[in-house]
Amino acid sequence: MVTKVDRYTPTNAMRRFLRARDQRCRFPGCHTPAHRCEIDHNHDYARGGPTELTNLSDFCPGHHPLKHPDLSDTHRWTAHQLPDGTVRWTSPLGRTYDDRASRRVMFV
């Protein structure tokens, strides 16, 4: 399977993998199902973030904007994906929250 592309948009296979891996919004405590989420770069594509499975996650429309670079630092969260698929969120206050990927197998 292709795990990285040199464009902004992931392939359909990458999208299917992310929906199966994430199953829901990757913001800690959010239970919005992945099919209602937007696939987005953890490290912003416009700032050099690659379009690869280790930099993409599902975020619901409510949590997706929290990490956008147009927000001031006093309101912006950052998301960083660890090698095991955990998304580590850092709040504007500097606290970290981990959202671990589900260990269940799902076919979509």
Side-chain angles (χ1 to χ4, degrees):
M1 177 170 87
V2 174
T3 60
K4 181 177 182 176
V5 293
D6 59 355
R7 61 178 195 248
Y8 177 77
T9 309
T11 66
N12 286 337
M14 291 169 74
R15 289 176 181 278
R16 287 183 61 215
F17 174 86
L18 291 165
R19 298 283 190 232
R21 182 196 70 191
D22 293 349
Q23 299 182 26
R24 60 171 181 75
C25 173
R26 294 302 303 277
F27 191 84
C30 185
H31 298 288
T32 302
H35 71 272
R36 292 183 37 211
C37 293
E38 304 157 346
I39 293 174
D40 191 37
H41 295 78
N42 297 317
H43 177 70
D44 192 23
Y45 181 81
R47 295 183 179 206
T51 302
E52 63 185 357
L53 295 177
T54 59
N55 190 46
L56 296 168
S57 299
D58 283 287
F59 303 119
C60 72
H63 291 120
H64 181 172
L66 292 178
K67 57 182 228 39
H68 275 198
D70 58 343
L71 286 178
S72 71
D73 289 342
T74 58
H75 300 298
R76 184 175 49 246
W77 289 66
T78 58
H80 174 74
Q81 194 171 137
L82 304 177
D84 68 352
T86 297
V87 177
R88 177 164 291 158
W89 287 86
T90 304
S91 77
L93 299 175
R95 295 185 182 130
T96 59
Y97 303 88
D98 288 350
D99 183 78
R100 289 177 174 62
S102 176
R103 296 289 179 206
R104 293 181 286 172
V105 176
M106 177 182 225
F107 299 94
V108 290

